[in-house]
Amino acid sequence: MSDDDFLLLNPGPVPLSESVRTAMDGEMVSHRSAEFEATYERAQDGLDEIFTASTLSGESTGEGTSLVLNGTATMGMEMAVSNLVGPDDEVVALVNGKFGRRFARIADRYAQVKRVEVEWGQSFDLDAVEEAVTDDTALVTVVHNETSTGLLNPVSAIGDITADHDALFVVDGVTSVGGDVFRIDDWGVDVAITDGQKALAAPPGISAIFVTDRAAAVARERNEASDGEGIPFYSDMAWHLRKAESHQTPFTSAVPLFRALAVAVEEIHEEGMPNRIERHRRQAKAFQEGFAALGLDPFPETEGPTVRSNTLTAMSLPESIRGDDSTAFFDAVKERNVSISGGQAHLGGDIFRVSNMGNLTPDQIARGVRTVGEALVD
Ligand code: PLP
């Protein structure tokens, strides 16, 4: 790749490999055909491994069913919450960034929500989480890797608290699954969500959730007890689980996206999750150290059980070019044919974020650092 080529470093969508791109370029088949079922099965096999064996040793950490969804990760987040709780149930939603807030907003529509909220980018106070989660809590939501701030939340500790009260634990692994360690059983996760367009390096528009047997039983029981009333039609988890047994979806599948996802997860299998996790860690460190060498500060400088992400890097812009004054910096990056992200919502032009999710090369990481350095002095 030369410096003239476009380089996508946003925290999703991420660049696609040639094989993933070409997988989408074929004649359509029926979503009820054996050809499609074989594609879905390949995607499911790969996802099962990625959801359950994302460890440095490659050992398996759980059992359940991977569902592929025609929709982005928000669909998976909503499917999890809306199928597992009802209007009288209590959900404890942990919020320290945009996607934690999204989980809380989704839950607001289906249940009674108690928020444990700290400033975006700050660590949760685990004592406050202990206080909030009680035997009345039906479900807890948390984002593992908070994409809006570049921080990794302590899912294991939160899972322990959740398990003490026998609540269900739904974890957004959208920017960690496929790029970092994720432990279903050890962390007590009941449902995990990920997205094609992030560390899986598949196209946007398709996502996946992993449903443990315990969560599947709850979804099925709620569905049977209410005869489906109050459960979203398109995102009926019990229905999706039933159809997935024969590698189909309840409604028309996005055939080209399923094909791309099947190839993407096979490429991950070839690299091996332990290698992939190590590579993501190396590359995130290279970004962090490269930007620090340019004199930039990490965003935020946090203390506590929250640590920096291994799949994306957020840095504060120098005070002299924050807010409206950041436009020239972002324009200078764009002129160099590199795409990065600014902050989300109130973080606006105060920070920038780059991703190392997917299959980036060392040269691409180096170019990201070089480009930011050049844009800062432009
Ligand atoms: N959760 C996290 C952590 C994310 O980073 C994103 C997207 O960036 C989402 C959920 C939601 O994804 P989408 O807006 O594509 O549905």
Side-chain angles (χ1 to χ4, degrees), residues 251-326:
F251 314 107
T252 313
S253 315
V255 174
L257 298 182
F258 275 70
R259 285 177 174 158
L261 181 64
V263 174
V265 295
E266 282 165 0
E267 289 183 346
I268 292 176
H269 177 75
E270 273 163 36
E271 182 175 18
M273 269 319 295
N275 293 336
R276 192 171 177 86
I277 293 167
E278 300 269 20
R279 179 172 58 76
H280 277 76
R281 292 190 167 184
R282 264 196 321 275
Q283 293 186 331
K285 202 150 182 264
F287 267 151
Q288 291 165 12
E289 288 176 357
F291 295 136
L294 296 173
L296 296 172
D297 292 325
F299 171 83
E301 295 185 69
T302 178
E303 282 178 13
T306 299
V307 295
R308 294 188 82 185
S309 164
N310 296 310
T311 56
L312 72 115
T313 300
M315 301 297 293
S316 294
L317 281 168
E319 266 176 42
S320 56
I321 58 163
R322 285 205 190 146
D324 292 346
D325 295 332
S326 64

Side-chain angles (χ1 to χ4, degrees), residues 11 72-75 77 99 102 143 145-147 172 174-175 195 197-198:
T72 60
T74 305
M75 178 179 173
M77 295 161 83
F99 296 102
R102 183 171 300 178
V143 176
N145 191 72
E146 186 41 89
T147 318
D172 171 332
V174 169
T175 45
D195 207 347
Q197 51 146 336
K198 309 284 191 187

Side-chain angles (χ1 to χ4, degrees), residues 51 54-55 68 74 102 175 182 193 217 239 249 254 258-259 279 295 344 351 357 367 371:
F51 273 118
S54 283
T55 56
V68 182
T74 305
R102 183 171 300 178
T175 45
F182 199 90
I193 300 119
W239 196 351
T249 53
F258 275 70
R259 285 177 174 158
R279 179 172 58 76
Q344 291 177 298
I351 67 170
M357 287 183 282
R367 183 172 160 207
T371 302

